[in-house]
Amino acid sequence: MKVLIISQKEEQASHIKERIANLPITPIILEYEEVKKEISRLYPQIILLCEPKDENYLSLLPYLQKELPLGKVIYLMEKRDPVKSRDAHRAGVLDVLFLPEELEVLPEILERAMESVRSGESSERVGKRGQIISIYSGKGGSGKSLLSAVLGQTLSLEWSQKVLLIDLNLQYGGVETYLQMETGRNLSDLTPVLEELNDVHIRNVTTVEPYSHLEVITSPTNMEQVNQITEYHVERILRSARLSYDMVIVDLPSHLNLLSYTALEEADQILYLLEPEISSLQILGKVLQQFQAVKIDPADRFSLVLNPVSTFQDFRRTEVKEYFSFPICAELREDRKGIQYLINRGKMIRTTKRDRNIPLYARDVQKLALSLIKQTQGGDK
Ligand SMILES: Nc1ncnc2c1ncn2[C@@H]1O[C@H](COP(=O)(O)OP(=O)(O)OP(=O)(O)O)[C@@H](O)[C@H]1O
Ligand SMILES: [Mg+2]
């Protein structure tokens, strides 16, 4: 079970962590400022919300309850204040404890919280947690849109996954060419319903690719609509789509903006397309610096997709590994003949489940799809 400790004080957080070390839980520590950014991805079942002396963190409760409808909050206060304690109970916290005196009983309270989470899960059926996969590269034309489209089709066709593909390229889009789609309803049509966004709203604006039933939210082409799209759109759509899709793939532009930051922050997996050659490796170095500057944490979710890979290349997997320690989750062969031929003739790359004649590129994407499926089935989500 995932337990999130929200505390401003490092020492306090580590005391709490020590105290609960014997329980079967994975504790994660966050500072108050990081909560809104990380909460949906981490999706803890129990939250220990520590209030510093002169502040009131109760204001965070409605937010936590909205993002984690089945989460249990234990409120930890430093000063005894019966009024605040009553307010906290009214606001729906499971329990209130006073630190440091009551730290002793925390394990017991946590056991109770765990029990309550378990019974809630079995009676209410936990909302499904789909995976968000953001596809990115700092280099333009590196194959992001093609991979988004073919991966989406493969996961739908071969793994019966309910997949949503969101094109965040804005204005010029990207995936339509590979999926032979016209842009019709798009991302901007969700603006009026963002506050109460649900699966029906999302389904109303998706275009369905007829062979695989992959659902796609295209980008607006009209500048007026493009300018309406904010990072709030991205956050709301991704958090809502998680609940009704198995996989949500986000096709990102290479140029980083507030929308891409949000899609990267929310992602469970970031697939970075990297051509195995020196200038692309240098761009990746700069991208990682930028991630650090805006506090996007790549740990445990950033992996490399080498594309295109050919026998003529001087750089291979081994050379890339010398520069970066991230896992290489796929190698997509250069397949001009197979891929380009189909695209130029307006043909779809994937149309049926068991097709022996798919291009080499699509075979490599099959392997990637398999590894993503294995990860989600064996993962902790
Ligand atoms: N492994 C490959 N073999 C052959 N062609 C490929 C391969 N990967 C990508 N391509 C081709 O490279 C071109 C660019 O691909 P794509 O549109 O997916 O790039 P992108 O990263 O989305 O570009 P942009 O930055 O403009 O959004 C396309 O013509 C695509 O078919
Ligand atoms: Mg693209």
Side-chain angles (χ1 to χ4, degrees):
M1 213 168 274
K2 269 196 202 167
V3 175
L4 179 65
I5 305 169
I6 303 174
S7 168
Q8 221 57 323
K9 300 175 187 166
E10 233 174 88
E11 202 186 349
Q12 179 187 51
S14 53
H15 276 151
I16 294 176
K17 202 171 161 185
E18 258 168 50
R19 196 70 198 84
I20 59 179
N22 290 337
L23 298 175
I25 54 174
T26 320
I28 310 158
I29 300 175
L30 273 192
E31 287 193 16
Y32 185 75
E33 290 72 29
E34 298 167 318
V35 172
K36 294 199 172 172
K37 205 168 90 173
E38 304 278 355
I39 197 83
S40 176
R41 181 171 67 91
L42 296 172
Y43 209 70
Q45 286 116 323
I46 300 171
I47 300 108
L48 302 178
L49 181 57
C50 309
E51 182 176 75
K53 265 201 177 85
D54 303 313
E55 276 180 73
N56 189 349
Y57 277 4
L58 278 180
S59 56
L60 193 63
L61 274 179
Y63 178 81
L64 291 174
Q65 286 157 343
K66 182 173 164 216
E67 298 298 336
L68 313 165
L70 299 178
K72 305 290 170 202
V73 180
I74 298 170
Y75 200 57
L76 306 171
M77 292 180 5
E78 291 203 28
K79 219 164 52 185
R80 274 185 194 273
D81 181 338
V83 176
K84 218 187 254 179
S85 164
R86 185 200 61 200
D87 288 348
H89 278 290
R90 279 197 187 150
V93 304
L94 190 75
D95 226 319
V96 178
L97 290 183
F98 300 100
L99 295 182
E101 310 92 302
E102 293 183 333
L103 192 58
E104 289 291 295
V105 293
L106 183 60
E108 196 185 308
I109 304 289
L110 258 181
E111 300 244 26
R112 219 184 308 145
M114 283 156 66
E115 200 43 57
S116 160
V117 169
R118 277 185 213 114
S119 60
E121 280 178 351
S122 52
S123 65
E124 293 178 47
R125 195 189 107 71
V126 200
K128 221 173 20 167
R129 295 279 298 162
Q131 289 280 300
I132 295 176
I133 304 171
S134 288
I135 300 199
Y136 180 62
S137 171
K139 196 172 169 198
S142 50
K144 301 179 288 295
S145 301
L146 179 65
L147 177 61
S148 305
V150 180
L151 180 62
Q153 289 180 312
T154 311
L155 287 166
S156 297
L157 278 170
E158 287 170 13
W159 294 97
S160 308
Q161 296 283 293
K162 195 164 175 237
V163 188
L164 176 69
L165 167 52
I166 305 175
D167 185 346
L168 277 191
N169 286 283
L170 299 188
Q171 199 177 9
Y172 301 120
V175 295
E176 301 90 339
T177 324
Y178 307 120
L179 297 171
Q180 289 157 41
M181 270 172 190
E182 299 285 324
T183 42
R185 280 163 299 178
N186 62 59
L187 207 55
S188 72
D189 294 311
L190 291 174
T191 310
V193 290
L194 278 188
E195 290 299 331
E196 71 268 5
L197 198 65
N198 62 34
D199 56 326
V200 179
H201 298 131
I202 294 183
R203 238 180 300 125
N204 274 334
V205 305
T206 57
T207 308
V208 182
E209 189 270 278
Y211 295 101
S212 63
H213 301 135
L214 165 68
E215 289 181 55
V216 184
I217 303 187
T218 53
S219 270
T221 43
N222 165 324
M223 265 326 266
E224 207 178 307
Q225 290 183 338
V226 166
N227 292 333
Q228 281 175 16
I229 311 289
T230 62
E231 59 271 34
Y232 190 58
H233 280 76
V234 181
E235 184 195 283
R236 287 335 309 162
I237 295 168
L238 289 180
R239 290 187 184 183
S240 172
R242 250 189 205 293
L243 306 178
S244 43
Y245 292 85
D246 301 313
M247 301 266 187
V248 183
I249 299 176
V250 193
D251 176 22
L252 289 171
S254 4
H255 132 91
L256 281 170
N257 56 25
L258 290 175
L259 307 187
S260 0
Y261 288 146
T262 309
L264 291 164
E265 273 159 7
E266 298 288 324
D268 300 290
Q269 294 283 333
I270 300 172
L271 302 185
Y272 186 96
L273 280 147
L274 178 74
E275 184 175 351
E277 54 89 34
I278 200 71
S279 79
S280 302
L281 265 64
Q282 279 168 351
I283 294 177
L284 172 54
K286 289 183 193 156
V287 165
L288 292 170
Q289 280 173 8
Q290 186 57 25
F291 275 20
Q292 206 173 11
V294 296
K295 298 206 163 70
I296 293 173
D297 183 6
D300 301 329
R301 57 179 177 138
F302 190 91
S303 42
L304 303 172
V305 173
L306 303 189
N307 181 60
V309 172
S310 84
T311 43
F312 305 109
Q313 272 154 344
D314 157 38
F315 263 37
R316 300 280 174 80
R317 170 183 273 267
T318 335
E319 283 74 18
V320 172
K321 283 211 159 286
E322 279 170 25
Y323 286 84
F324 299 102
S325 57
F326 297 108
I328 296 174
C329 64
E331 295 186 43
L332 310 178
R333 281 170 284 183
E334 169 140 46
D335 185 16
R336 275 176 212 241
K337 233 166 78 190
I339 290 288
Q340 227 63 51
Y341 179 87
L342 292 174
I343 298 169
N344 290 341
R345 276 156 192 75
K347 293 202 163 112
M348 199 79 88
I349 294 163
R350 293 301 314 262
T351 51
T352 52
K353 189 170 173 179
R354 285 188 196 84
D355 184 354
R356 286 174 191 277
N357 297 318
I358 59 171
L360 291 179
Y361 176 88
R363 281 191 200 288
D364 296 338
V365 176
Q366 272 179 330
K367 287 190 206 152
L368 172 59
L370 172 65
S371 78
L372 290 171
I373 292 287
K374 277 191 184 156
Q375 256 176 49
T376 52
Q377 287 173 355
D380 58 358
K381 293 257 160 68

